[in-house]
Amino acid sequence: MSFRAKLSLIFILTVVGSVCVVAYGVTRYTRTAFEEMDAQRTGAIVAQFKKEFAQSGDQISQQVKNIADADITLRAAIDLARSNADQSLYVHDASGAAQDHQLDFVQFAGWDGTIISSAQFPSKVGTKLDWLSSTKDWNSTSFFLKKEDLPDGSALSLTAVRSVSGGNEKNLYIVGGRRLDQNFLSTLVLPWGMRALLYVNLNPDFSPAALLSSTKDGVEQPERLEPMIDQIRKQPQSLVQTINWSSDAGSAETFHAMPLIGRNNELLGVLLVGSSRRELVMLTNRIVMTAAGVAGAALIIGLLLSLWVAARITKPVSELSEGAREVAAGRWETRIDVRGVDEIGQLGIAFNDMTRTLSVQRDRLLQTERVAAWRELARRLAHELRNPLFPLQITVENLQRAKQLDSKQFMEVFNESTATLRVELANLNAIVGRFSDFSKMPAPAFTKVDVNEALRNIIRLFEPQFNVVGKPAIAAEYFLTEPLPEIDADAVLLHRAFQNLVLNALDAMPAGGTLTLRTSERSGHVVIEISDTGTGLTPEECSRLFTPYYTTKHQGTGLGLAIVQSVVSDHHGSVSVSSEAGHGTTFRIELPLRQAGAIVKPRLDDTQAATPDSASKDSKEKVEPSPFAEASD
């Protein structure tokens, strides 16, 4: 092992070891601090629950006392204390009292515990409640939890009982209460990442429907909480468990469970306070990533330091390193002084030979690329110009031969020939214009542009071509995000780019298909996708698709997509293509919402930005046929 390698290894091991120890200590301390904070937050929520529980119980006790203190209740108690009292007169009183005092449950019972009136279960009138008469002084008792039987099942009730004496030692009992359910949980103020669940333990078996949540989303996979509930059923005491909802460590949730005991020490419910572990996982990951970044930076620093020390000791190596940096900066003619014939000297000789060879090859490569570029341009121009020149030649020859004809026939040939000349000259002018336009693409004039509206205008422009008689139909589908923020862009250039892509898509679907347009917003950018269901492209075609003058068709300049790339680049965006042979192609453009440092003019009207007339003019100026069709031929 060389000296430089040993020195670098010592630095690297020292730095990495130090970073790992620090990262481990910070992670351990963070986890402990998080656990303590989580315990404090959970304790605060449990205390809040107990406070809300006590306040609700006091309110219920007061409401029941108000019912008991009412004159109508006293008169009813006195009347019912008589031996010949008609209890049927009071069968509906409980419903009225429940409505007046905003209670979910109200029952009136006689001195022996027989129900006289029930707001929640009228058919229970006449049923005897022995537990009522077993307590002598209900007015001095507090509220309690109770299982409330209902016609359609049962509910957990926060209940209070008061009594009214009607004389002859006969009391009228008023039992009132409110549900302890999701509405009660929603009153709790919970920090982010925490939630409260209430399991109503009114059935002998675990029931997912009995698990209520403080959030509207409910509880997913409630059966995962069954072992915890069963354990509290067996031994009613507070319990803490962590549940992993999925393989993702961030989905873990720590639950603090507190049993809710009824008046007779029976388990009627379980309060579960859940605390997400995602914050801890994210914080731990961030610490690990930071440690990795610090370790990476430390590795670089250690490596540079070791190189610096080694460079001071080994000057030849330093000179070689300096020469290598010169070459990396583009100065390929760099040479170094060679001293000696040892391994370092031989390395210097090899270095000089390498730079000499690279310099020669670079010059040859540049010359070859220039020649190839001019040849390609000449080939394209010759190919494009040859097509209209042949009809021009035939037309001129026809005119020359027409001199021998009479005046009428000459005029017919003359008119037909001049029309042909105008068409072919216009074609030549369009060809030259396309090359000229690409060579002098104007700088964008930024305004506020609605991308969705620009795409709709393009589709309106091409709608007549979608259902041409005698040709397969093409359907347009929109998946546009609404509302989509306006972007800083040149409306005319953007219209031209979209027009080229749509023309390519139409050319790619000679047998008909579907043209799909999608927009979305992501990380300060607007994403535009234009997809077709044509024959697709090969990976090689995709890699060369945006190269100027590249096309595999017999017609076309190969400038259409190069223009698209130029427009997108001028907007500081990006364009990419994804395709699979036989499954269509998708072009994806990402444009920033704002152009930093650019002067943005007020938004033009859609008719000014891209009028049908101007769009029609652009469409007549036939854009490069789509490479999709080339790939499908």
Side-chain angles (χ1 to χ4, degrees):
M1 183 179 293
S2 65
F3 172 77
R4 177 182 297 179
K6 291 179 181 179
L7 189 62
S8 300
L9 184 60
I10 292 173
F11 272 99
I12 291 171
L13 291 178
T14 302
V15 173
V16 171
S18 302
V19 171
C20 290
V21 171
V22 172
Y24 174 79
V26 172
T27 303
R28 187 176 181 85
Y29 172 82
T30 301
R31 187 179 296 273
T32 303
F34 183 90
E35 297 290 352
E36 294 177 356
M37 182 184 67
D38 184 64
Q40 292 175 359
R41 292 195 305 177
T42 303
I45 293 173
V46 171
Q48 183 187 168
F49 176 85
K50 291 180 178 178
K51 182 179 178 181
E52 294 286 345
F53 187 89
Q55 289 179 350
S56 297
D58 291 339
Q59 291 177 359
I60 293 169
S61 298
Q62 184 60 43
Q63 294 293 349
V64 175
K65 185 177 183 299
N66 292 339
I67 297 174
D69 292 342
D71 291 338
I72 188 173
T73 307
L74 179 59
R75 288 194 298 269
I78 295 173
D79 183 41
L80 291 170
R82 293 186 292 108
S83 58
N84 59 347
D86 185 4
Q87 296 182 354
S88 63
L89 298 175
Y90 306 96
V91 71
H92 299 297
D93 285 8
S95 298
Q99 184 175 1
D100 293 341
H101 295 273
Q102 299 180 348
L103 295 175
D104 297 323
F105 312 116
V106 174
Q107 287 182 330
F108 290 168
W111 60 273
D112 60 349
T114 302
I115 298 177
I116 298 172
S117 177
S118 176
Q120 67 272 16
F121 206 159
S123 61
K124 275 217 167 188
V125 172
T127 305
K128 191 173 183 180
L129 303 177
D130 294 329
W131 59 273
L132 279 176
S133 57
S134 63
T135 300
K136 299 301 182 183
D137 186 11
W138 278 108
N139 293 331
S140 62
T141 61
S142 181
F143 55 88
F144 56 92
L145 283 176
K146 177 180 176 294
K147 175 183 178 182
E148 196 68 51
D149 293 326
L150 301 173
D152 56 350
S154 58
L156 184 60
S157 170
L158 192 57
T159 304
V161 180
R162 294 293 179 265
S163 63
V164 179
S165 176
N168 300 325
E169 297 182 355
K170 293 183 177 180
N171 293 332
L172 175 64
Y173 298 101
I174 299 93
V175 184
R178 288 191 186 135
R179 292 177 183 268
L180 195 65
D181 57 8
Q182 187 173 11
N183 292 330
F184 182 85
L185 293 179
S186 64
T187 62
L188 300 178
V189 180
L190 303 174
W192 183 90
M194 300 191 73
R195 60 174 174 168
L197 306 178
L198 177 64
Y199 180 77
V200 182
N201 186 45
L202 303 179
N203 298 313
D205 299 323
F206 178 83
S207 173
L211 193 60
L212 308 177
S213 173
S214 59
T215 62
K216 296 181 180 180
D217 299 332
V219 182
E220 296 183 0
Q221 306 180 52
E223 65 279 357
R224 300 291 297 275
L225 296 170
E226 183 177 357
M228 191 175 183
I229 300 296
D230 290 340
Q231 187 173 347
I232 295 179
R233 278 178 165 179
K234 295 175 182 178
Q235 190 174 3
Q237 62 181 14
S238 296
L239 184 65
V240 179
Q241 282 188 5
T242 299
I243 295 178
N244 295 309
W245 296 106
S246 67
S247 58
D248 179 15
S251 69
E253 194 171 7
T254 299
F255 282 97
H256 295 253
M258 182 183 72
L260 303 179
I261 307 301
R263 180 170 172 268
N264 297 321
N265 293 323
E266 73 274 24
L267 181 67
L268 294 180
V270 180
L271 174 68
L272 300 102
V273 178
S275 176
S276 174
R277 309 282 292 182
R278 186 170 297 278
E279 286 183 342
L280 177 60
V281 172
M282 292 176 62
L283 184 59
T284 302
N285 291 340
R286 188 171 300 174
I287 292 173
V288 172
M289 294 298 295
T290 303
V294 172
L299 286 174
I300 296 175
I301 294 173
L303 183 61
L304 292 177
L305 186 59
S306 64
L307 291 176
W308 178 76
V309 173
R312 291 178 61 88
I313 299 174
T314 57
K315 186 176 180 180
V317 176
S318 175
E319 293 179 353
L320 183 61
S321 177
E322 180 65 24
R325 283 192 290 270
E326 291 288 328
V327 173
R331 293 182 284 275
W332 292 4
E333 68 281 358
T334 301
R335 303 290 184 271
I336 62 173
D337 295 333
V338 178
R339 303 182 184 91
V341 292
D342 56 5
E343 289 82 355
I344 300 297
Q346 293 178 4
L347 183 61
I349 295 173
F351 177 85
N352 290 337
D353 291 341
M354 178 191 68
T355 56
R356 189 180 298 107
T357 303
L358 287 175
S359 180
V360 172
Q361 290 181 349
R362 179 194 59 179
D363 294 339
R364 291 177 180 175
L365 179 61
L366 291 176
Q367 183 179 3
T368 301
E369 288 180 348
R370 284 195 295 267
V371 172
W374 280 110
R375 285 178 176 175
E376 179 64 18
L377 178 59
R379 187 183 72 82
R380 291 292 178 194
L381 281 172
H383 177 76
E384 289 293 319
L385 296 176
R386 188 179 293 112
N387 289 334
L389 286 176
F390 179 72
L392 288 174
Q393 179 181 354
I394 297 301
T395 302
V396 172
E397 292 176 357
N398 288 340
L399 282 173
Q400 290 177 339
R401 288 193 296 268
K403 290 191 302 182
Q404 309 299 328
L405 302 175
D406 57 40
S407 176
K408 181 178 180 181
Q409 290 177 331
F410 176 79
M411 288 306 298
E412 291 179 357
V413 174
F414 178 80
N415 291 333
E416 181 180 351
S417 298
T418 53
T420 301
L421 288 172
R422 283 195 300 269
V423 171
E424 296 303 331
L425 288 173
N427 192 12
L428 279 172
N429 185 53
I431 293 171
V432 174
R434 285 198 297 270
F435 281 90
S436 176
D437 288 345
F438 183 69
S439 65
K440 56 179 181 180
M441 289 290 290
F446 293 109
T447 61
K448 297 294 183 182
V449 176
D450 185 338
V451 173
N452 287 346
E453 187 60 28
L455 290 173
R456 292 190 185 99
N457 287 337
I458 288 293
I459 296 304
R460 293 191 193 102
L461 176 66
F462 287 100
E463 275 181 350
Q465 301 183 33
F466 290 174
N467 296 284
V468 177
V469 178
K471 291 185 178 181
I474 294 176
E477 292 185 353
Y478 296 92
F479 296 93
L480 307 180
T481 298
E482 297 286 359
L484 190 67
E486 293 182 338
I487 67 172
D488 298 343
D490 187 312
V492 176
L493 293 179
L494 208 59
H495 178 91
R496 184 175 183 184
F498 291 163
Q499 179 181 350
N500 281 3
L501 292 177
V502 172
L503 277 172
N504 285 342
L506 296 181
D507 290 343
M509 296 184 289
T514 302
L515 175 65
T516 304
L517 296 95
R518 293 183 177 87
T519 60
S520 61
E521 181 187 3
R522 186 181 306 163
S523 303
H525 288 71
V526 167
V527 180
I528 306 107
E529 293 184 358
I530 299 178
S531 305
D532 63 67
T533 56
T535 53
L537 298 166
T538 64
E540 180 184 1
E541 289 169 334
C542 288
S543 64
R544 302 182 61 191
L545 203 56
F546 297 102
T547 303
Y549 314 119
Y550 169 74
T551 178
T552 60
K553 300 184 67 177
H554 296 294
Q555 296 180 348
T557 60
L559 296 177
L561 294 178
I563 291 174
V564 172
Q565 187 180 48
S566 176
V567 171
V568 174
S569 177
D570 288 344
H571 284 73
H572 304 98
S574 63
V575 58
S576 59
V577 59
S578 60
S579 181
E580 184 179 352
H583 294 83
T585 303
T586 297
F587 282 90
R588 188 173 186 268
I589 296 176
E590 290 191 27
L591 298 175
L593 294 177
R594 298 292 170 260
Q595 298 290 337
I599 299 176
V600 181
K601 298 180 181 179
R603 178 184 176 183
L604 299 176
D605 294 337
D606 293 335
T607 54
Q608 293 174 297
T611 61
D613 291 341
S614 63
S616 176
K617 179 180 179 181
D618 290 340
S619 63
K620 291 176 182 178
E621 195 177 61
K622 180 64 175 176
V623 185
E624 165 67 6
S626 170
F628 302 167
E630 300 165 7
S632 62
D633 288 343

